[in-house]
Amino acid sequence: MKLFGSPGCGSAVVEVALQLANQPYEYVQTSFWDQNENFDALKKANPQAKVPTLVLDDGTVMTESAAMLLYFADRIPGFIPSDPAKRAQFYRWMLFIPANIYAMFDIGDEPSRWVDDEKTQQVLKEKSVEKQKFFWGLIEENLLPAPYLLGSSMTALDVYIAMVSRWRPGRAWFNENCPKLAAAVALTEHHPVVATIWEKNFGK
Ligand SMILES: N[C@@H](CCC(=O)N[C@@H](CS)C(=O)NCC(=O)O)C(=O)O
């Protein structure tokens, strides 16, 4: 399998899933912001040219970080909760995050794609972060970690939140305003596979 990714991007979480599933893969580094010699191959596989993009052994192309996590999840013990009530929460937030929080980066990362005026671009970026804070607040209100987000084992949701919470509005805001989530994230980041991949993606 071939994973198109870039340090600090959504590919981080897919690397964790690939490694926990013992799935060998080739990491191909490139992105919109790092248009190196691999960028054309990324564009060919995914005309959106976004990372992560995963090309399976049979040539099937996958986009969407959450879809990739779910694709490998049934090969990783405990990665999807077995209790039906927890599973309902799991799927809810696994889709809520890309649909809402991650989607805001499409606006905030490159506001010039949306509006021409530079001042308006700055306002748009700020508004996208305000929205993200609101979305984080909803998750914080709804989950009661014990000690992981959905109980005693680390699920795909823990790893996903551990990654997305590294991005805007940033860890300082997250730790202060989402203390329950932050406690579970701290635990997840001690997992040896997560810690190794995080070091490569986010530094120490
Ligand atoms: N919905 C996609 C979003 C992927 C995405 O936006 N990736 C960012 C990097 S973290 C990207 O490649 N952005 C480049 C661009 O917007 O052109 C997912 O969940 O995988």
Side-chain angles (χ1 to χ4, degrees):
M1 287 188 193
K2 209 178 256 191
L3 174 65
F4 289 94
S6 188
C9 285
S11 43
V13 86
V14 185
E15 286 188 82
V16 172
L18 285 160
Q19 295 203 9
L20 290 176
N22 294 316
Q23 172 63 54
Y25 64 98
E26 180 193 346
Y27 182 79
V28 183
Q29 188 173 320
T30 192
S31 76
F32 173 75
W33 300 285
D34 171 24
Q35 296 191 16
N36 60 13
E37 68 283 3
N38 299 320
F39 192 65
D40 281 348
L42 168 63
K43 265 199 307 196
K44 197 166 167 223
N46 174 6
Q48 276 193 299
K50 291 194 177 224
V51 293
T53 292
L54 184 67
V55 184
L56 306 186
D57 287 337
D58 68 358
T60 302
V61 173
M62 286 189 83
T63 63
E64 309 315 318
S65 50
M68 294 171 209
L69 272 183
L70 295 173
Y71 182 67
F72 292 106
D74 56 7
R75 287 161 53 178
I76 306 168
F79 223 43
I80 300 181
S82 51
D83 172 71
K86 301 267 185 214
R87 214 164 55 242
Q89 291 284 76
F90 174 81
Y91 284 119
R92 176 183 180 191
W93 300 113
M94 277 303 294
L95 295 189
F96 179 90
I97 293 167
N100 295 289
I101 299 179
Y102 203 157
M104 282 298 116
F105 289 101
D106 198 54
I107 297 170
D109 280 350
E110 295 293 332
S112 61
R113 288 176 181 165
W114 298 86
V115 285
D116 293 329
D117 171 63
E118 279 185 17
K119 195 148 183 270
T120 316
Q121 287 169 17
Q122 190 52 39
V123 173
L124 193 58
K125 183 169 186 156
E126 283 162 18
K127 297 244 178 230
S128 75
V129 177
E130 286 312 308
K131 256 317 217 196
Q132 287 167 322
K133 289 178 178 174
F134 170 72
F135 293 138
W136 278 122
L138 289 181
I139 311 178
E140 173 75 7
E141 270 170 37
N142 275 279
L143 290 180
L144 197 58
Y148 290 100
L149 293 170
L150 294 169
S152 56
S153 60
M154 183 182 83
T155 71
L157 184 65
D158 288 280
V159 185
Y160 207 30
I161 286 188
M163 178 185 73
V164 180
S165 62
R166 290 255 170 183
W167 304 337
R168 291 190 300 276
R171 268 300 167 78
W173 180 90
F174 183 76
N175 289 342
E176 193 178 335
N177 293 277
C178 303
K180 288 187 287 157
L181 300 181
V185 161
L187 206 55
T188 293
E189 291 188 335
H190 274 104
H191 187 287
V193 172
V194 176
T196 306
I197 305 281
W198 261 216
E199 193 177 331
K200 173 183 155 194
N201 278 275
F202 303 109
K204 288 221 179 226

